[in-house]
Amino acid sequence: MALPAVLQNLRLPVICSPMFIASNPRLVIEQCKAGVVGSFPALNARPQSRLGEWLVEIETALAAFEAANPGKKAAPFAVNQIVHKSNDRLEADMATCVEHKVPIIITSLRAPDAIVPAVHSYGGLVFHDVISVRHAQKALEAGVDGLILVCAGAGGHAGTLSPFALVGEIRKFYQGPIILSGSIASGDAILSAQAMGADIAYIGTRWLATPEANVSEGYRQAIVESGAGDIVYTPYFSGVHGNYLKKSIVLAGMDPDNLPHADASKMNLGSGGAEADSSTAKAWKDIWGAGQGVGLIDAIKPTAEVVNQLEAEYRAAKARMLAATAAYTD
């Protein structure tokens, strides 16, 4: 099945994942100008009235880019909506997105039954985060246009399944767009995602080490200095299992090897995140999310340079694989 038209002319088969706090208009604009889909969580725009302002800022900047560069087209952008009972902004945020006809809506946590018709009313697309076959089936029943498979090693609220397992099982019953997430931080990994049956790579952590990301310098530097072994997988900070940088947990005065279990019922995404308790650091500010692909990031670079590097790596990987497999295809 062919990809939707809006995704057929990307520079690379990449959607940049929406990162809480870190993704902002500046980062999204640079991602789209570089030819990959940029995105941000609606909840990053605070107060709610700022969401419309952010959308205008992005739309205006991308239109100006295209006007100044005849023949070049910016990639589309996406907004992430958290479909959870604690998100008391969902209705208002969706109304704003429908008003602006946001090209892609990325939904998370629960099947977006009520969101899909609203987005389809203006021709937009809905892609949904899933971590299992059961979640994928529920999302498809809701009518989504594509599945984002959040596999082991992804930053944020990651799943535990190997991408080889999850992609293969879902391809048994679904031939539509699959976007794959999980430790993808290089052009080689983008090609690997396609080779195993996905259509597009979903990249998040790689953008944290850019000047455009809305993170502290300490956070950026920790991304560059860390490896896969420095990632802690725990539900403690938000009530849902997620991957976090060990260094930030230590800096917050906690022992990353002895974190208690969290109560998922206390998750409160609508008000900005969930606090572990009154004496610990706020997960959305002091605890730094990251995926296991951090070990492939060795420098802080502007977003445009990161995309250039990913493209060079992707092309080199294709050439290398064609040479390596030539003996098996003759």
Side-chain angles (χ1 to χ4, degrees):
M1 180 178 177
L3 285 173
V6 72
L7 297 177
Q8 289 183 6
N9 295 308
L10 301 178
R11 181 177 172 189
L12 286 169
V14 168
I15 293 177
C16 304
S17 62
M19 299 178 291
F20 199 54
I21 294 184
S23 298
N24 59 7
R26 183 184 176 201
L27 179 60
V28 171
I29 289 165
E30 291 306 309
Q31 290 167 335
C32 294
K33 285 166 58 177
V36 294
V37 177
S39 73
F40 70 93
L43 291 174
N44 279 8
R46 295 181 178 277
Q48 195 280 330
S49 59
R50 290 199 67 194
L51 178 58
E53 297 172 7
W54 279 24
L55 293 176
V56 169
E57 180 180 350
I58 293 169
E59 292 162 346
T60 301
L62 296 184
F65 169 77
E66 291 180 352
N69 297 274
K72 275 192 174 184
K73 189 167 179 60
F77 67 93
V79 174
N80 174 222
Q81 298 285 8
I82 303 298
V83 186
H84 187 270
K85 62 183 179 181
S86 69
N87 183 5
D88 52 15
R89 285 181 40 170
L90 182 58
E91 184 176 351
D93 285 347
M94 276 306 305
T96 301
C97 287
V98 170
E99 178 186 354
H100 286 265
K101 298 182 179 180
V102 172
I104 301 168
I105 297 293
I106 295 170
T107 53
S108 306
L109 292 185
R110 291 187 179 176
D113 300 82
I115 288 177
V116 170
V119 178
H120 285 177
S121 71
Y122 61 84
L125 301 174
V126 179
F127 296 151
H128 187 67
D129 286 350
V130 303
I131 61 172
S132 69
V133 169
R134 181 174 66 86
H135 290 148
Q137 291 170 333
K138 285 183 174 294
L140 294 175
E141 289 171 3
V144 301
D145 302 288
L147 299 173
I148 301 171
L149 277 52
V150 186
C151 295
H157 295 140
T160 59
L161 294 178
S162 161
F164 291 97
L166 192 54
V167 172
E169 288 193 30
I170 288 179
R171 276 298 185 217
K172 287 183 177 180
F173 60 85
Y174 176 65
Q175 297 307 310
I178 285 181
I179 301 99
L180 183 62
S181 172
S183 304
I184 300 177
S186 68
D188 305 62
I190 295 170
L191 183 63
S192 298
Q194 291 182 301
M196 72 173 70
D199 299 288
I200 294 178
Y202 201 55
I203 300 178
T205 303
R206 188 64 189 82
W207 313 110
L208 293 171
T210 65
E212 293 87 2
N214 183 33
V215 298
S216 67
E217 288 305 314
Y219 193 168
R220 287 191 185 88
Q221 198 57 44
I223 291 291
V224 172
E225 295 172 352
S226 298
D230 298 308
I231 302 299
V232 178
Y233 187 63
T234 176
Y236 180 59
F237 300 105
S238 71
V240 178
H241 271 92
N243 281 317
Y244 304 93
L245 283 173
K246 182 180 295 185
K247 181 176 181 178
S248 67
I249 299 173
V250 173
L251 288 174
M254 292 174 279
D255 181 354
D257 297 319
N258 291 286
L259 294 172
H261 291 288
D263 182 356
S265 67
K266 294 182 179 179
M267 183 170 61
N268 187 355
L269 296 166
S271 63
E275 292 184 60
D277 58 51
S278 60
S279 63
T280 57
K282 295 179 180 179
W284 62 94
K285 180 180 179 182
D286 299 321
I287 305 300
W288 302 334
Q292 293 177 3
V294 288
L296 301 179
I297 304 168
D298 57 10
I300 297 170
K301 298 179 180 180
T303 296
E305 290 187 21
V306 172
V307 177
N308 289 342
Q309 180 178 337
L310 291 173
E311 182 180 35
E313 292 169 348
Y314 180 76
R315 292 181 180 278
K318 286 178 69 174
R320 187 173 64 251
M321 290 307 299
L322 285 172
T325 58
Y328 303 97
T329 56
D330 291 340

